Amino acid sequence: MPFLILKYQGKMIRQYALEYGYPLSIGRNEKNDVIIGNLAVSGFHARVEFREDSVVVSDLESKNGTYVNGKRVSKAVLGNGDELGVGKHQLLFSENRADVTFHETPLTALRAGSLDVTMALDMSDLKNGQQRSVKGLSKKPLPILVFKKGGRGRIELGNRYTRMGSARSNEVVVKGFLVGKRAATVVRRDDGYYLNHVSGLIKPRLNGVKVGKEPVKLSHGDTVTLGKSNLRFLSKVRMRKVDGENQPSNGEVPSASLA
């Protein structure tokens, strides 16, 4: 099974499995499978999918274009090791799963009203394989979602959107026949994190109350329920050393972490 590995400034952020019959859409809009919350990325920027025995990337008429190994393309067949350029991010196409450490996503903070506007990008940096440094990134622990029921592990909320649903491309995979492929998202805004219902008959619940059309702000210790899965939102995570690695010190140490 091939994979797309999302990279920013040389750091690997997350990887996505590519399955036959299930295209991966790439863009800034939260309905995409690969969400890149950067103004240089169009709402629906590109799509990667199987075409017979090949894997093909198609540009979706994006403002800043899609690049393969530095060359702008409208459509191209991908080979092992090829690198897609989408805005200031890269997506490495690999025929095998990467066994590496993934890092927090240094996304640009976007205001809700700016999501429909794509910023024109100086593509000279992308063509030359260069990235500008991002200064002043916070190193404090990220808020997390911890599975209490219906799953295992913790999910760091480093992306602007953390997706929940039955599709394997979600950060939080929730099993259930009536759970939507993209049922809900946790959205990072300037003033905190919000739970939002996206699709499907099963709506998320916050502390037992269904989330309607309007996103609901999360507070430390809140319980998020979707289908048979139950998670706890922790915004105040203190770290301690466990076997040389950082782990939450508040007793919420999970048995596994999700990528």
Side-chain angles (χ1 to χ4, degrees):
M1 178 183 294
F3 293 83
L4 286 178
I5 303 169
L6 182 63
K7 298 169 58 181
Y8 184 84
Q9 293 190 330
K11 293 183 178 180
M12 295 187 180
I13 299 168
R14 180 168 286 129
Q15 62 183 338
Y16 303 85
L18 182 62
E19 301 179 63
Y20 197 91
Y22 294 92
L24 288 180
S25 60
I26 304 165
R28 198 174 68 241
N29 190 286
E30 65 176 12
K31 294 182 179 180
N32 287 286
D33 300 298
V34 181
I35 301 172
I36 304 178
N38 188 284
L39 288 174
V41 179
S42 296
F44 296 92
H45 197 104
R47 181 177 62 248
V48 178
E49 61 189 325
F50 276 97
R51 295 277 184 89
E52 296 181 350
D53 295 330
S54 301
V55 175
V56 176
V57 58
S58 302
D59 181 72
L60 302 180
E61 298 183 355
S62 63
K63 185 168 186 176
N64 288 308
T66 300
Y67 290 73
V68 175
N69 300 328
K71 180 180 179 180
R72 186 165 183 167
V73 300
S74 59
K75 186 176 295 184
V77 175
L78 297 177
N80 188 45
D82 282 347
E83 190 169 84
L84 305 182
V86 177
K88 295 185 177 182
H89 289 67
Q90 296 83 44
L91 285 153
L92 178 66
F93 178 70
S94 174
E95 294 178 354
N96 301 294
R97 178 185 290 274
D99 185 17
V100 298
T101 300
F102 292 90
H103 300 266
E104 171 190 353
T105 311
L107 297 179
T108 302
L110 301 179
R111 297 183 181 273
S114 67
L115 293 178
D116 295 330
V117 181
T118 304
M119 178 182 67
L121 183 66
D122 180 358
M123 303 310 293
S124 59
D125 288 344
L126 181 60
K127 293 176 181 178
N128 295 329
Q130 300 173 350
Q131 298 292 339
R132 297 180 181 179
S133 62
V134 177
K135 299 180 180 179
L137 293 177
S138 172
K139 295 183 179 179
K140 66 180 181 180
L142 291 167
I144 60 176
L145 286 172
V146 180
F147 269 106
K148 307 298 290 184
K149 180 182 177 183
R152 301 176 60 191
R154 66 186 175 94
I155 302 92
E156 290 187 338
L157 305 181
N159 285 343
R160 177 170 175 80
Y161 299 100
T162 300
R163 305 161 299 173
M164 306 173 67
S166 60
R168 292 179 59 184
S169 58
N170 292 303
E171 287 74 33
V172 181
V173 179
V174 176
K175 296 180 180 180
F177 180 71
L178 297 178
V179 177
K181 290 184 178 181
R182 182 74 47 75
T185 56
V186 175
V187 184
R188 185 182 68 189
R189 295 183 179 176
D190 292 343
D191 63 337
Y193 290 78
Y194 288 77
L195 180 63
N196 177 47
H197 175 238
V198 178
S199 65
L201 297 176
I202 302 297
K203 292 185 177 181
R205 292 176 179 265
L206 179 61
N207 300 324
V209 180
K210 284 186 179 181
V211 175
K213 296 181 179 180
E214 296 298 324
V216 181
K217 188 174 182 180
L218 297 173
S219 298
H220 178 73
D222 279 349
T223 297
V224 176
T225 304
L226 181 63
K228 296 182 179 180
S229 293
N230 187 288
L231 304 98
R232 189 179 180 194
F233 173 73
L234 299 174
S235 60
K236 303 171 184 177
V237 185
R238 291 178 296 177
M239 307 301 287
R240 63 184 174 91
K241 289 288 185 178
V242 178
D243 296 331
E245 296 184 1
N246 286 328
Q247 296 285 3
S249 63
N250 49 15
E252 300 289 350
V253 181
S255 55
S257 61
L258 301 181

